[in-house]
Amino acid sequence: MKLPISSVGRMSGMALSAKLWLAALLLGVVSPAFASSEADLVLPNLKDAALASFLGGMSGWNLLAFGLIICVAGLAFGAVVYGQVKAMPVHRSMAEVSEIIYETCKTYMITQAKFIMLLEVFIGVIIVAYFGWVQHMAAMEVVLILAFSVIGIAGSFGVAWFGIRINTLANSRTAFASLEGKPFPVYSIPMKSGISVGMMLISTELLIMLCILLFVSPALAGKCFIGFAIGESLGASALRIAGGIFTKIADIGSDLMKIVFKVKEDDPRNPGVIADCTGDNAGDSVGPTADGFETYGVTGVALISFILLAVPEASVQVQLLVWIFVMRVMMIIASGISYIGNEMVMKAKYGESKKFDFEAPLTSLVWVTSIVSLILTFIVSKTLIGDITINGQAYTSLWWQLSVIITFGTLAGAIIPEVVKVFTSTKSRHVQEVVTASREGGASLNILAGLTAGNFSAFWMGLVIVCLMAGAYLVSQGDLSLVINADPAKGGIMAAVFSFGLVAFGFLGMGPVTIAVDSYGPVTDNAQSVYELSTIEQIPGIAKELKDTLGVTVNFEKAKELLEENDGCGNTFKATAKPVLIGTAVVGAATMVFSIIMLLTNGLSDVTAVSHLSMLHPPFLLGLISGGATIFWFSGASTQAVSTGAYRAVEFIKNNMKLDEGSTKANVEDSKRVVAICTQYAQKGMFNIFMAVFFGTLGCAFIEPFFFIGYLISLAIVGLYQAVFMANAGGAWDNAKKIVETDLRAKGTPLHEAAVVGDTVGDPFKDTSSVAMNPIIKFTTLFGLLAVEMAVGMVAQGQQGLAWTLAAIFMALNLIFVYRSFYSMRIEN
């Protein structure tokens, strides 16, 4: 495709706000020649085929409009699979349990919705202050931006709700399917549930972003993208933090009863089991689903912002924007095709098998999707930008170079899970080491072996990410560096950063499948619990009833064995998805941080400002130190919330668990009380953490711009390694317990007690602290963007003293909530 020379020109969105120009000048970080705000960026006219045309003359707008059809088709795919799961046979005893779990999940979600809208008030004040006061935008425009922030929250919340609904249908169907003793249905039902969630999530996200791109005026679209991204970040952060705290309070409370009372897993007499099942959905379904929705959106917004900031040619902007969104549409198609094809092959291979490795079909799906996505990436890129010509210069290698860069990210989505398995799978030598260490060393050596696995995993994961990013950097120095900026020095730097953003984008190249294998875990975990809570084995005449009514020949022992094995598989794949989302957050945050750097350094032209990105600039160094400190506070605060809540849950369960001979099930009111305890401490812990992050972000942004840049960089890098370490250490402890219970059949032994202790230590590691760092990093980066520009705007109005005063106030409030996150959460006798 050829681009007319007349199309080349500076984008209108680089117009300079007088206030921000003066503010940056007063701060001494931006020269008067050039400055901009992300909120000022105006999208190019996608309807103008003279700027860029595709597929024989079609405008970018018309091409992307077809993407809306694919999004609707993706939603229909998810809905059809939902209907299939709902229509599957299930015994009433199991259906009743899953409905109880769903009802408690509903209560939790409604409580969370009220709390999130309260937090939105705080965010809304900043949005109104920035766009209304600093930017002096019209009231209706500010309302539109606020509306999209609410839509972002609603999107995160909505896909999370859909996730718990289908998961609580799938858990009872999976438990029932196990009764025949055939493993394939025990695998396929959670997989159906997962792909339904994945397709719904990605299709909804892309549909909203396409609607902003196509139907909101170019002058407002950039601002609406930012509002939308902040909203979904808020929703994901709150749901991740609270869900992580809730689930681990319940999990620890339930698990410790196995040691205290020597009862079996998911004993129906344990009032903590229902809370544990609710927690599986709150922490392992709601949190990851909202997180995935936000990750997908924020990564896209970061790339859009970077394109509009770094690429001066409007025609090139159109091409890159259209190319990125077409790639996103392609993801839906690739995932759908791969899932259907993989299921057909797996059914033919394992459909009648009496035993197979549950990890095999999931691993196959990940790799098949990766390969299909890779092939489609090259085909679509060649079709769209294979013959790009700018200013009379042909760039015939750009299409394959961009494809290779995205491929590094797509491969990461397949390679990272394989690396994680080395440290967390039930077949892993690290996990076997945890079990071996526990035989003679008890809980002490169990914990040390798990910590070792986590530390080693952080090293190897870092090496993998560095290699992939290095590969992307090398490829980016070709045609991309020439296209992105005519100045070779700037072009090389900008192309490198853009390539990092594309790697993060590629991480999500098989988004529906990544979400699907992550959603597999909570279903398999719940299925075990539903089986036990249904007490189906004790129902008189149940074998004959099932044979006569449903034609099912039951094998109770085999059913329990299959559910146990599948739960181990679910644990592994829950663990594999975490580093993918964490890595995406860090690599994507790097792109967003660079966008802020572009604003502060006059597009890398201001030598003095660029020199401030150095340890020789004291504020930058201090910011680096502060960001790392924040990560360790967050890890401690979230773990403390779990510890205190778990103490109260254990205390209540020990005092109310009835083990007399006539007792078969826990009292419903006792179960509700445990759920209430989990909710109470989840809300309290989340509020302290969120408010500390909120005021800390404002305070750091108001101190000094380059202090804030250092803070964000440190937050992302230290957060990456801390999160990977904690997630994989927790995964190793979890599956070590699974080996002791399933393979060794050593329940009730000292070895089992040691494994349970290690697992409960790992619970907040893998499902609370580590996973919540992802949305926290992105929320801080995105929200901080507005905060730092707001501070600059105040300086523009001659209010430097007020800005520093506010910085002091915000930091004081931050420290109050940091203090409260431990001292108001202590276990009191």
Side-chain angles (χ1 to χ4, degrees):
M1 182 192 63
K2 294 188 177 181
L3 302 177
I5 297 175
S6 60
S7 71
V8 177
R10 292 275 176 181
M11 65 178 183
S12 58
M14 301 299 272
L16 178 61
S17 162
K19 278 192 176 69
L20 293 171
W21 173 86
L22 178 57
L25 189 60
L26 289 171
L27 284 172
V29 296
V30 179
S31 72
F34 176 90
S36 182
S37 155
E38 283 204 16
D40 288 331
L41 296 181
V42 177
L43 270 68
N45 185 3
L46 297 177
K47 293 182 179 179
D48 187 357
L51 279 179
S53 60
F54 305 86
L55 305 179
M58 184 183 296
S59 71
W61 194 98
N62 288 334
L63 179 59
L64 291 180
F66 283 104
L68 297 174
I69 299 173
I70 302 299
C71 291
V72 172
L75 293 173
F77 182 98
V80 168
V81 175
Y82 171 87
Q84 291 175 346
V85 171
K86 188 176 182 179
M88 288 178 175
V90 60
H91 190 265
R92 62 184 180 277
S93 63
M94 293 177 170
E96 287 169 3
V97 173
S98 64
E99 281 305 304
I100 291 173
I101 296 170
Y102 176 60
E103 289 301 318
T104 56
C105 287
K106 276 174 59 178
T107 303
Y108 167 80
M109 289 293 285
I110 291 169
T111 304
Q112 286 297 94
K114 296 174 182 176
F115 204 67
I116 291 172
M117 291 316 296
L118 173 63
L119 299 179
E120 168 68 359
V121 173
F122 290 92
I123 302 300
V125 168
I126 301 300
I127 290 175
V128 171
Y130 174 68
F131 289 108
W133 177 45
V134 177
Q135 293 286 321
H136 289 295
M137 290 177 59
M140 290 308 298
E141 292 178 338
V142 176
V143 169
L144 183 63
I145 297 167
L146 274 174
F148 273 105
S149 75
V150 175
I151 289 172
I153 293 172
S156 290
F157 192 83
V159 295
W161 191 295
F162 177 80
I164 61 168
R165 175 63 283 191
I166 190 169
N167 285 353
T168 49
L169 291 172
N171 58 21
S172 55
R173 275 71 178 170
T174 303
F176 181 77
S178 70
L179 293 174
E180 284 192 285
K182 295 180 180 179
F184 188 78
V186 177
Y187 146 78
S188 65
I189 297 172
M191 192 66 252
K192 276 181 176 291
S193 172
I195 197 65
S196 177
V197 175
M199 292 295 277
M200 279 286 190
L201 185 154
I202 300 298
S203 299
T204 301
E205 174 76 48
L206 184 55
L207 182 64
I208 295 172
M209 293 191 74
L210 280 174
C211 285
I212 295 174
L213 189 67
L214 298 178
F215 302 118
V216 177
S217 72
L220 275 176
K223 305 172 181 66
C224 291
F225 272 126
I226 291 173
F228 174 67
I230 289 175
E232 58 184 352
S233 259
L234 168 62
S237 298
L239 291 173
R240 256 302 194 187
I241 296 169
I245 295 171
F246 184 108
T247 184
K248 294 303 108 180
I249 292 173
D251 201 358
I252 293 172
S254 178
D255 277 356
L256 287 181
M257 295 307 105
K258 291 186 285 189
I259 296 176
V260 175
F261 294 118
K262 308 294 184 184
V263 295
K264 63 182 179 181
E265 180 92 15
D266 301 320
D267 192 301
R269 298 169 296 177
N270 183 349
V273 174
I274 288 293
D276 188 19
C277 293
T278 304
D280 288 338
N281 285 281
D284 294 336
S285 176
V286 170
T289 305
D291 188 4
F293 185 84
E294 178 250 9
T295 297
Y296 189 77
V298 171
T299 303
V301 171
L303 283 171
I304 292 167
S305 301
F306 181 84
I307 289 170
L308 298 181
L309 276 170
V311 180
E313 314 297 348
S315 56
V316 180
Q317 291 172 12
V318 172
Q319 289 228 85
L320 291 177
L321 287 171
V322 170
W323 175 73
I324 282 175
F325 274 92
V326 170
M327 288 294 109
R328 291 194 153 204
V329 171
M330 180 271 294
M331 293 175 188
I332 298 175
I333 298 172
S335 294
I337 292 172
S338 300
Y339 167 74
I340 293 171
N342 190 73
E343 283 300 284
M344 291 173 64
V345 173
M346 293 302 108
K347 187 171 185 179
K349 186 176 182 179
Y350 299 122
E352 299 302 320
S353 298
K354 294 183 178 180
K355 186 177 181 62
F356 66 87
D357 182 356
F358 283 112
E359 292 185 14
L362 291 167
T363 302
S364 170
L365 176 61
V366 170
W367 278 103
V368 167
T369 310
S370 180
I371 293 168
V372 171
S373 296
L374 188 154
I375 293 170
L376 288 179
T377 295
F378 279 85
I379 293 173
V380 173
S381 295
K382 174 65 174 175
T383 303
L384 288 180
I385 55 175
D387 60 348
I388 183 172
T389 302
I390 302 173
N391 216 13
Q393 174 68 47
Y395 296 95
T396 56
S397 298
L398 181 63
W399 71 272
W400 67 260
Q401 290 173 3
L402 287 173
S403 298
V404 169
I405 291 170
I406 278 195
T407 297
F408 281 115
T410 304
L411 289 175
I415 293 171
I416 287 176
E418 294 302 313
V419 176
V420 172
K421 288 181 191 177
V422 172
F423 302 96
T424 64
S425 170
T426 52
K427 303 175 185 64
S428 158
R429 283 180 288 179
H430 279 277
V431 175
Q432 295 288 347
E433 180 75 2
V434 176
V435 176
T436 302
S438 306
R439 292 183 183 277
E440 299 297 335
S444 296
L445 292 188
N446 175 287
I447 291 170
L448 289 176
L451 293 174
T452 301
N455 282 313
F456 272 98
S457 74
F459 169 80
W460 288 108
M461 195 64 66
L463 187 62
V464 168
I465 293 175
V466 166
C467 289
L468 292 168
M469 292 179 70
Y473 159 68
L474 293 174
V475 175
S476 73
Q477 300 307 293
D479 280 1
L480 179 60
S481 65
L482 302 175
V483 169
I484 209 163
N485 197 291
D487 184 331
K490 293 180 185 177
I493 295 172
M494 293 176 182
V497 175
F498 185 56
S499 73
F500 297 156
L502 289 179
V503 169
F505 178 81
F507 272 37
L508 304 168
M510 43 186 188
V513 167
T514 301
I515 298 298
V517 297
D518 189 40
S519 297
Y520 186 92
V523 176
T524 61
D525 199 348
N526 261 198
Q528 255 192 299
S529 303
V530 168
Y531 182 96
E532 296 292 349
L533 291 171
S534 70
T535 60
I536 194 166
E537 295 180 50
Q538 300 170 28
I539 298 175
I542 185 63
K544 185 176 185 304
E545 176 192 337
L546 292 176
K547 181 67 176 176
D548 293 344
T549 58
L550 297 171
V552 175
T553 302
V554 298
N555 185 336
F556 293 124
E557 291 306 313
K558 181 66 173 177
K560 288 185 282 190
E561 179 184 322
L562 290 174
L563 292 173
E564 285 268 14
E565 290 178 7
N566 203 22
D567 185 30
C569 172
N571 288 340
T572 299
F573 276 87
K574 280 191 294 184
T576 64
K578 292 180 177 100
V580 173
L581 294 176
I582 292 164
T584 306
V586 172
V587 181
T591 306
M592 185 66 79
V593 170
F594 190 77
S595 297
I596 303 175
I597 291 172
M598 290 283 292
L599 300 174
L600 298 175
T601 61
N602 185 18
L604 302 180
S605 296
D606 190 320
V607 178
T608 302
V610 171
S611 70
H612 289 167
L613 295 167
S614 163
M615 292 176 67
L616 298 178
H617 182 58
F620 181 77
L621 175 59
L622 294 173
L624 287 174
I625 297 171
S626 301
T630 297
I631 290 297
F632 284 89
W633 156 75
F634 176 80
S635 302
S638 50
T639 302
Q640 178 62 33
V642 171
S643 298
T644 305
Y647 179 91
R648 293 301 175 205
V650 169
E651 181 181 50
F652 180 84
I653 295 170
K654 285 173 67 176
N655 292 334
N656 292 275
M657 188 167 173
K658 299 176 178 61
L659 298 175
D660 51 273
E661 190 173 329
S663 178
T664 58
K665 289 187 178 183
N667 182 280
V668 174
E669 292 305 313
D670 288 344
S671 295
K672 288 182 178 179
R673 178 58 188 149
V674 178
V675 171
I677 291 171
C678 296
T679 303
Q680 174 190 350
Y681 284 94
Q683 297 282 45
K684 190 175 179 181
M686 188 260 283
F687 181 74
N688 286 327
I689 291 170
F690 183 84
M691 296 309 292
V693 170
F694 176 80
F695 287 116
T697 302
L698 287 173
C700 291
F702 272 66
I703 289 172
E704 202 262 1
F706 288 96
F707 174 91
F708 190 58
I709 293 294
Y711 177 82
L712 293 177
I713 292 171
S714 178
L715 193 76
I717 294 174
V718 177
L720 168 67
Y721 288 105
Q722 176 78 338
V724 170
F725 155 69
M726 297 183 83
N728 290 336
W733 282 315
D734 194 0
N735 268 345
K737 183 193 74 170
K738 190 59 61 178
I739 289 173
V740 171
E741 293 177 341
T742 305
D743 296 350
L744 303 180
R745 301 183 183 279
K747 292 181 180 180
T749 66
L751 176 62
H752 186 227
E753 290 185 9
V756 170
V757 171
D759 180 43
T760 54
V761 171
D763 279 337
F765 268 52
K766 66 184 175 65
D767 290 325
T768 308
S769 300
S770 63
V771 293
M773 285 182 203
N774 175 18
I776 286 296
I777 289 169
K778 285 177 291 186
F779 174 80
T780 302
T781 304
L782 195 61
F783 178 62
L785 178 97
L786 293 189
V788 76
E789 291 181 8
M790 188 174 173
V792 167
M794 293 183 67
V795 176
Q797 298 176 358
Q799 298 176 331
Q800 177 69 79
L802 177 60
W804 284 337
T805 300
L806 287 175
I809 292 172
F810 291 144
M811 291 309 298
L813 290 169
N814 163 262
L815 292 175
I816 288 171
F817 283 103
V818 168
Y819 180 91
R820 282 174 51 85
S821 66
F822 175 71
Y823 287 100
S824 73
M825 297 296 295
R826 291 178 63 199
I827 300 170
E828 296 179 0
N829 293 321

